[in-house]
Amino acid sequence: MTTLTTVDVLFGAVGLITAASAVLAVTTHHLVHAALWLVVTLGTLAGCYLILGAELVALVQLLVYVGAVVVLVLFALMLTRAPMGRSPEHSSGFIQRIAAALVGAGTTALLAAVLLPALGGDIRPTRAGDTKGIATQLFGSWVWPFELLSLLLLVALIAALAVSRMPTTSLPSTTEAVAETPANSAGGESR
Amino acid sequence: MTDHQHSPGDSPKTNGFIPGLIKGLATTARTLATPSHTAEYPDVQPHLPPRTRGVIALLEENCTSCMLCARECPDWCIYIDSHKETLPATTEGGRERQRNVLDRFAIDFSLCMYCGICIEVCPFDALHWSPEFEYAELNILDLLHEKDRLGEWMPTVPAPSALDPRSADPQEVAAANKPPRTAPERRQ
Amino acid sequence: MLEVVLRSLGVLAAFLVLPLVVGQTEHKVMAHMQGRLGPMYAGGFHGWAQLVADGVKFVQKEDITPRAADRWVFKLAPAVALVPYLVALAVIPLSATVVAADVGAGVLFVLAASAVGILGLLMAGWSSANKYALLGGMRAAAQLLSYELPLVLSVASVALAAGTVSLTGIADAWHPLWLVWQLPGALVFLIAAVAELQRPPFDMPVADSEIVMGPFTEYTGLRFAFFLLSEYAGIVVMSLLFAVLFLGGWRGPFSGVLGPVWTLLKGALISVLIIWLRVSWPRLREDQLQRLAWLVLVPLALAQLALTAGWVVLSSP
């Protein structure tokens, strides 16, 4: 065991906040608080990246996850329901909690078992974390996974568009009666 | 987008989106370049026309306590107290004269609606409009102004506007200029 | 260590002064554009201290938290809205040497920081337990999500043209020709920035004729002042960013000595433009707002990105 360096201490502290807020995000009874704890988790995760020297990844994490994804989550919450106090009707039962905790712990153990021996346990800031380094790696050695991922996203995008444009007549039985009404059939014909 | 909803002739024909936006920018820029209209009131006194209905001033010497104003006032906001005074005869063996002495003349400006009827009906020009307007009070009861206060406003009453060219002389001047009446000769 | 403290103090001073300067400019420019004089008394000379007086007034006001509000979120929201702009201001260079913190990916840093600032509005809108505040928060969320994309795309175009994401690098690579062939991107950035700041004509989230004051409805005193300050700090950040990205920052005569002055001057011009737009144009309706973002700005930004990419590929050896 070597002596603690500044990076170790910083990483430990930020990592602890990340883990704690993540736990709070899944255990809190307030719907919106869960989303806000998620913000803290993702933000401090960006802090972890920053401490490890991956500046670009940290900023993109902040821009995409905090700036867009969580905003989208909050927007959806506000659009549907955003109760002020606790919402016990959304809390899961005891058994499900136990099961979720077990699954979470299992995943953590699995990842730790695979990654720790593979990469080593010590914390080393990377030297290739700046924009140029990331770009060289991304479009060099990892170009095929990167392109495949972008293809996947494109497919998801087109699928989402297709779902939203799907004609109502093809929906299953419950809406058929509605679909038979003149207004809807007229709309279907005009397409 | 809503162009088709406009009836023709309702406004000058708009040529679409972008020109409208530019027009808006041009208008504000032009206003920016022109001097503003703001009157900096407490620093600069406003220029008020002479017929401004600011406050009602009282020329006490002209008042005969005839009560016409108080009776015509729609709000009953004029208070007049007077008493009669006997003047000794000016000539030997003459008759004593009586006249009204004004004790109190007050206007309650918390009631007054500035209609100006009192000024219209005063037969002796004792009441006048003054453009003075800075007589706000913190307490509404303090808006009842007595005759000394009303008299203080008298110097602020502007001179009456000049007569139109070639118009007839005012009544007083015409009366003063009239040749003295001579004894009728016909009866002789 | 001393240098770090000095730089931080410099940023803090700029953060406290520049938004007030912009705010005072807005007071006066807007007044004169409407044929008025604006504040004339505070401080003596043409009311220069009006915003200082406003600040003193805000401090004296009672800090009210509605009973039904979510207390912690409600109290935290102004800080979440304000601090990101302070952080963003730290990385914006005034010249190649005058910069508080020269971050490698400066552009991304500013964009990420301003994206975090949005959360403050959402938190304020939700935690107020007020339907107008909630409506305002939702409008803000929808608007900011839509305009984030064109903003990032137009910045990406500039970064592509310069071959770097560092703010100093972009300003160094700037060429007067950019004014021509980056013009669509610049327009997209300006419009999207005004929308990000929720300034008129994109002030649907705080449309006072419909939803009182949007997310700020329940705020009083100093916390309300923080929201206002964050709006003007946002104008400062976005204007300086525009000046650095699209107008060459400190380029100009005697840029060796007057570099920071040029940047500030260009930023001031953009600030005045933003104020001018506010005075001149009516508010966009919510659907028009979304239409503009998705049907005009995003395609325009993508076209600009394609143009820039083509140029870079063709011109590179």
Side-chain angles (χ1 to χ4, degrees), chain A residues 30 32-33 36 39 55-56 59-60 62-63 66-72 74-75 78-79 82-85 131-132, chain C residues 68-70 73 103-105 108-109 111-112 115-116 118-119 122-123 126-127 129 134 137-138 141-142 145 148 165:
Chain A
H30 298 244
V32 179
H33 282 193
L36 292 175
V39 171
E55 183 187 286
L56 185 77
L59 290 177
V60 170
L62 214 56
L63 184 64
V66 178
V69 171
V70 181
V71 171
L72 200 61
L74 277 173
F75 180 62
M78 286 183 183
L79 205 59
M84 291 304 298
T131 315
K132 214 178 183 72
Chain C
D70 194 311
V73 181
V103 179
L108 275 177
F109 190 92
L111 289 181
V116 173
I118 292 161
L119 276 173
L122 290 188
M123 287 164 67
W126 171 75
S127 67
L134 187 63
M138 277 171 52
L145 277 177
E148 188 89 18
V165 284

Side-chain angles (χ1 to χ4, degrees), chain C residues 9-305:
Chain C
L9 282 180
V11 172
L12 195 63
F15 186 70
L16 290 178
V17 171
L18 291 181
L20 294 194
V21 172
V22 172
Q24 184 70 17
T25 312
E26 174 165 42
H27 264 314
K28 296 305 269 189
V29 169
M30 187 158 80
H32 281 281
M33 281 182 169
Q34 295 168 343
R36 300 180 288 117
L37 288 174
M40 289 298 283
Y41 284 94
F45 179 74
H46 284 264
W48 66 269
Q50 181 61 46
L51 289 175
V52 180
D54 284 350
V56 172
K57 186 196 73 176
F58 275 128
V59 170
Q60 294 168 352
K61 296 261 176 179
E62 186 186 358
D63 183 21
I64 298 173
T65 308
R67 188 184 298 160
D70 194 311
R71 298 186 70 83
W72 282 102
V73 181
F74 185 84
K75 292 192 168 180
L76 213 61
V80 177
L82 186 60
V83 170
Y85 285 121
L86 172 64
V87 177
L89 201 61
V91 302
I92 293 183
L94 292 185
S95 79
T97 48
V98 183
V99 50
D102 196 2
V103 179
V107 175
L108 275 177
F109 190 92
V110 176
L111 289 181
S114 67
V116 173
I118 292 161
L119 276 173
L121 288 181
L122 290 188
M123 287 164 67
W126 171 75
S127 67
S128 297
N130 178 316
K131 60 184 171 188
Y132 299 117
L134 187 63
L135 277 175
M138 277 171 52
R139 285 181 179 184
Q143 174 171 333
L144 298 171
L145 277 177
S146 310
Y147 282 88
E148 188 89 18
L149 189 59
L151 193 74
V152 173
L153 286 177
S154 59
V155 169
S157 157
V158 183
L160 203 59
T164 171
V165 284
S166 150
L167 281 170
T168 43
I170 289 175
D172 278 334
W174 186 81
H175 187 271
L177 261 185
W178 282 28
L179 287 176
V180 182
W181 71 288
Q182 291 291 339
L183 185 65
L187 283 179
V188 169
F189 181 89
L190 188 65
I191 297 173
V194 174
E196 284 283 293
L197 297 170
Q198 304 172 25
R199 298 273 304 169
F202 303 103
D203 61 338
M204 205 66 194
V206 291
D208 47 6
S209 53
E210 302 166 21
I211 49 174
V212 193
M213 195 63 191
F216 317 140
T217 302
E218 294 288 353
Y219 280 90
T220 55
L222 211 51
R223 291 179 203 278
F224 182 70
F226 281 161
F227 277 120
L228 289 190
L229 185 63
S230 78
E231 178 178 338
Y232 288 99
I235 296 179
V236 171
V237 167
M238 286 300 180
S239 303
L240 288 178
L241 195 61
F242 189 92
V244 170
L245 291 182
F246 293 99
L247 301 180
W250 45 91
R251 299 297 190 85
F254 309 109
S255 61
V257 190
L258 295 179
V261 179
W262 280 114
T263 314
L264 285 175
L265 202 65
K266 289 169 182 173
L269 270 180
I270 301 300
S271 303
V272 170
L273 181 62
I274 290 176
I275 295 168
W276 190 10
L277 298 187
R278 170 186 178 168
V279 183
S280 306
W281 291 351
R283 182 185 301 138
L284 260 73
R285 216 171 47 216
E286 189 66 33
D287 59 326
Q288 297 169 334
L289 205 105
Q290 298 292 339
R291 185 175 287 271
L292 177 68
W294 292 106
L295 297 186
V296 179
L297 293 189
V298 170
L300 206 59
L302 284 175
Q304 173 71 64
L305 199 58

Side-chain angles (χ1 to χ4, degrees), chain A residues 102-181:
Chain A
L102 281 179
V103 170
T107 314
T108 311
L110 196 66
L111 279 176
V114 171
L115 290 182
L116 280 183
L119 302 175
D122 56 333
I123 300 159
R124 272 199 318 266
T126 173
R127 298 236 171 271
D130 61 337
T131 315
K132 214 178 183 72
I134 295 274
T136 317
Q137 291 200 17
L138 203 59
F139 294 102
S141 44
W142 303 99
V143 65
W144 285 111
F146 179 76
E147 290 299 330
L148 276 178
L149 269 179
S150 57
L151 201 65
L152 181 70
L153 285 178
L154 187 65
V155 167
L157 195 70
I158 293 171
L161 201 67
V163 168
S164 68
R165 288 286 177 95
M166 196 181 279
T168 46
T169 44
S170 65
L171 283 179
S173 59
T174 50
T175 51
E176 261 177 19
V178 183
E180 294 293 322
T181 57

